[in-house]
Amino acid sequence: MVKEDLVRIGLEVHCQLTKLKSKLFCNCSSDYRGKGPNTNICPVCFGMPGSLPVLNEKALKYALMIALALNAKISERMLFYRKNYFYPDMPKNFQISQYDKAGGMPLATGGRLSLDDGKIINIRRIQLEEDTGKLSYDGTIESSSTTYIDYNRAGIALIEIVTEPDMNSPKEARLFLQKLSSILEHLGLCDPNLEGAIRCDANISFGGGRRVEIKNISSFKEVERALRFEITRQRNLVSKGIEVKSETRHWDDVRRVTFSLRVKEEEEDYRYFPEPDLVPIEISNEMIQQVLSEMPELPEARKRRFMDRYGLPSQTAEVLTSRKALADLFEKSIELYPNAREIANWLASDLLAYLADTNKEIESLNVKPDHFAELVRLIDDGVISRSLAKSIFIEMVSTGKMPSEIVKGKGLEKISDQDYILQVVDKVFKENERAVKDALMNEKAINYLMGCVMKESGGKIDPNVVLQIIRQRLDQIRSVR
């Protein structure tokens, strides 16, 4: 086990503004997924001589929303800079980005995000920049002899969120990203479910040693895995007296290892200088107030509302608002049937467990709010027992059938016939004489008899009725002794 204070982790999160229809500095479509390679490009994307970038005003507005949601300080004036480098993913050999030194002013500085345990992760800066092209390989980056370049992604609007190295474990890094993702979802500006919409670089140092950067990790789970591997690698080096190099490493999510890509560049290597084709942008207080007035409800406020209006426990409200799709499903379900606590429990426990087991997303399921409303109504009306509802739930989410359709098709209505229930209890008592003797002396032994009756009836009898009749039968036996 690594002491937490030995590990320092900072993240650079790149979020595409997927709500935009066009790129950051030109009119090329931002809908590049599934399109033929190098079809959404123009002279501005390539920085051809004579072409001039023009800022997409909606990108600035959306970026301001994200900065305000993260409690950052908005700059009164921001500048774009050229970040020069010579990688094949940027056709003009520089990226239009922002810089916070040498007179540079990014969109926002400061800011913070609170984890569920109250820990504050501070944000250093938030900036607006263009995305790069996409590289792909035959096989792995190490073994492939060919690199394919698709520039359709070059110029897509990105928000870069740079944190302070406040995280002390891979788990904290994952929790931060999940929180951030929920905020972006609620703002409706970035769809985290789209491939490549959120990517992350992680900086990590161990024991006060040099900082190592892991580039372009594509999922939150992989961020956690990559950091765990890197902590182990650096700890082993330190234990052997070997110096950890300051370098940029690649995460191979197939072999689950990091490997060195290159010596880490420092800021001076990028030769930042002001972008001469874009004027400074003044951000007025009126503009900020206008953006604030248009911001939707954010996860933290929604959580408090769920607790106040529906009486949900804090933890349940936290789970529901961790994903916008889940919170939306909850609210639409209770519009159809107002048992908020019961519906919340099915969503926060059973549905999330099903998604984790099947590795699916909510959006991929063929279930709607009326499925959950009907399931809970059938339980409340006494049509099905809670134990039967569990199996109905699994079939409901896997097939999209309505609960009533499943109940009718399988004849699963709850049995309420008293004579039948007595017959089943008597049969179980006759076949389990030893268990009956135990139950006469030990209340806890009744659970075994309960289980036998429920199994005998296929789980179709109300457990409360079963318990009541078992106790009556035991009292009758005691009275004749």
Side-chain angles (χ1 to χ4, degrees):
M1 181 67 74
V2 178
K3 289 183 180 178
E4 286 193 345
D5 57 0
L6 291 177
V7 177
R8 300 190 73 193
I9 297 169
L11 299 177
E12 294 180 14
V13 189
H14 299 94
C15 314
Q16 289 182 344
L17 294 175
T18 55
K19 188 176 180 180
L20 289 175
K21 302 297 183 188
S22 57
K23 294 185 178 181
L24 183 56
F25 297 118
C26 65
N27 288 325
C28 286
S29 170
S30 58
D31 181 17
Y32 68 89
R33 294 175 177 84
K35 301 295 187 294
N38 300 310
T39 51
N40 287 358
I41 51 177
C42 72
V44 175
C45 300
F46 277 86
M48 298 291 283
S51 64
L52 291 174
V54 177
L55 178 63
N56 185 330
E57 292 185 9
K58 283 188 177 178
L60 174 59
K61 174 183 169 182
Y62 295 165
L64 284 171
M65 274 194 182
I66 293 174
L68 291 168
L70 294 173
N71 305 295
K73 181 184 178 184
I74 306 297
S75 301
E76 294 180 357
R77 190 168 183 256
M78 73 173 194
L79 303 171
F80 283 103
Y81 270 60
R82 288 188 179 184
K83 180 182 179 182
N84 295 275
Y85 64 85
F86 300 97
Y87 301 150
D89 58 7
M90 186 51 78
K92 53 196 176 194
N93 286 334
F94 64 85
Q95 177 188 29
I96 300 179
S97 181
Q98 296 189 312
Y99 194 45
D100 60 348
K101 297 175 184 174
M105 285 175 278
L107 173 80
T109 54
R112 64 190 180 281
L113 191 152
S114 300
L115 302 183
D116 293 346
D117 63 2
K119 180 169 182 176
I120 302 293
I121 306 300
N122 292 290
I123 293 167
R124 183 176 298 172
R125 67 175 185 274
I126 299 171
Q127 61 190 39
L128 185 57
E129 63 185 27
E130 59 181 342
D131 206 346
T132 61
K134 183 177 180 181
L135 307 181
S136 57
Y137 308 91
D138 291 327
T140 70
I141 189 173
E142 281 186 306
S143 62
S144 178
S145 60
T146 307
T147 300
Y148 301 97
I149 309 174
D150 180 2
Y151 289 118
N152 283 346
R153 199 179 69 180
I156 296 290
L158 277 186
I159 299 297
E160 183 179 89
I161 300 165
V162 182
T163 77
E164 298 291 348
D166 290 342
M167 288 155 273
N168 301 116
S169 70
K171 181 182 177 183
E172 282 189 353
R174 175 174 56 79
L175 294 176
F176 171 84
L177 289 168
Q178 288 175 342
K179 277 275 196 180
L180 176 63
S181 175
S182 178
I183 291 172
L184 295 172
E185 276 189 304
H186 277 81
L187 287 171
L189 307 178
C190 173
D191 183 352
N193 297 313
L194 291 177
E195 178 267 331
I198 296 183
R199 309 191 299 276
C200 184
D201 300 342
N203 293 294
I204 178 170
S205 62
F206 176 80
R210 297 192 177 192
R211 186 164 57 99
V212 171
E213 182 181 44
I214 312 172
K215 294 288 286 185
N216 281 328
I217 315 170
S218 59
S219 77
F220 301 165
K221 284 183 181 176
E222 295 304 319
V223 168
E224 190 172 12
R225 286 171 178 157
L227 288 169
R228 288 193 189 286
F229 174 87
E230 192 57 25
I231 289 171
T232 302
R233 186 187 74 84
Q234 292 188 27
R235 179 178 56 191
N236 289 338
L237 290 175
V238 171
S239 68
K240 294 173 184 175
I242 301 173
E243 185 180 26
V244 175
K245 295 179 183 176
S246 179
E247 60 183 348
T248 298
R249 298 180 71 84
H250 176 78
W251 170 243
D252 185 331
D253 57 9
V254 176
R255 293 185 296 156
R256 295 190 176 173
V257 297
T258 66
F259 59 83
S260 181
L261 280 178
R262 54 184 179 267
V263 174
K264 181 164 177 49
E265 294 93 340
E266 302 299 334
E267 285 186 350
E268 55 267 28
D269 296 324
Y270 291 119
R271 295 179 295 113
Y272 281 96
F273 64 82
E275 165 59 58
D277 293 331
L278 288 165
V279 298
I281 308 293
E282 306 290 340
I283 303 175
S284 66
N285 186 53
E286 289 74 16
M287 185 186 297
I288 294 172
Q289 294 305 316
Q290 179 63 36
V291 170
L292 277 171
S293 70
E294 297 176 15
M295 287 180 67
E297 185 181 39
L298 295 176
E300 194 60 35
R302 200 175 194 186
K303 172 190 167 184
R304 287 196 298 274
R305 182 167 60 81
F306 281 7
M307 294 168 64
D308 295 340
R309 182 177 297 178
Y310 307 120
L312 299 185
S314 173
Q315 187 174 0
T316 304
E318 181 72 42
V319 171
L320 289 177
T321 53
S322 65
R323 301 163 77 170
K324 184 175 185 295
L326 192 64
D328 289 346
L329 185 56
F330 166 71
E331 291 217 272
K332 289 175 182 173
S333 297
I334 61 174
E335 286 176 5
L336 300 171
Y337 187 70
N339 188 340
R341 280 210 170 214
E342 189 70 21
I343 290 175
N345 288 336
W346 280 99
L347 296 177
S349 56
D350 297 77
L351 179 60
L352 288 186
Y354 175 82
L355 293 173
D357 290 343
T358 57
N359 200 28
K360 292 181 177 178
E361 296 295 333
I362 295 173
E363 294 82 357
S364 68
L365 301 180
N366 190 25
V367 287
K368 297 181 173 60
D370 48 356
H371 285 82
F372 292 93
E374 185 177 86
L375 180 70
V376 173
R377 182 175 56 76
L378 289 174
I379 298 170
D380 288 351
D381 289 349
V383 177
I384 57 174
S385 66
R386 193 172 297 278
S387 59
L388 265 182
K390 293 279 184 183
S391 61
I392 293 169
F393 167 83
I394 295 297
E395 184 168 347
M396 177 184 87
V397 293
S398 58
T399 66
K401 290 182 180 177
M402 291 297 291
S404 56
E405 182 184 357
I406 299 169
V407 169
K408 187 176 180 180
K410 294 189 172 183
L412 296 177
E413 293 90 346
K414 193 164 65 178
I415 297 172
S416 56
D417 186 319
Q418 290 282 319
D419 291 338
Y420 171 78
I421 299 172
L422 283 169
Q423 286 177 20
V424 176
V425 170
D426 287 343
K427 181 174 184 290
V428 167
F429 271 44
K430 188 175 180 180
E431 294 174 352
N432 298 274
E433 292 182 357
R434 181 67 196 175
V436 173
K437 289 179 181 177
D438 291 343
L440 287 167
M441 296 181 292
N442 182 356
E443 176 77 10
K444 293 182 178 176
I446 291 178
N447 291 333
Y448 177 78
L449 295 171
M450 282 272 300
C452 292
V453 174
M454 296 305 292
K455 183 178 180 182
E456 186 72 23
S457 68
K460 293 159 65 173
I461 305 177
D462 187 332
N464 293 324
V465 177
V466 173
L467 180 60
Q468 182 184 355
I469 291 179
I470 287 177
R471 283 182 169 149
Q472 287 174 355
R473 277 288 190 254
L474 290 173
D475 288 342
Q476 290 170 357
I477 294 172
R478 289 190 187 99
S479 67
V480 298
R481 280 187 164 185

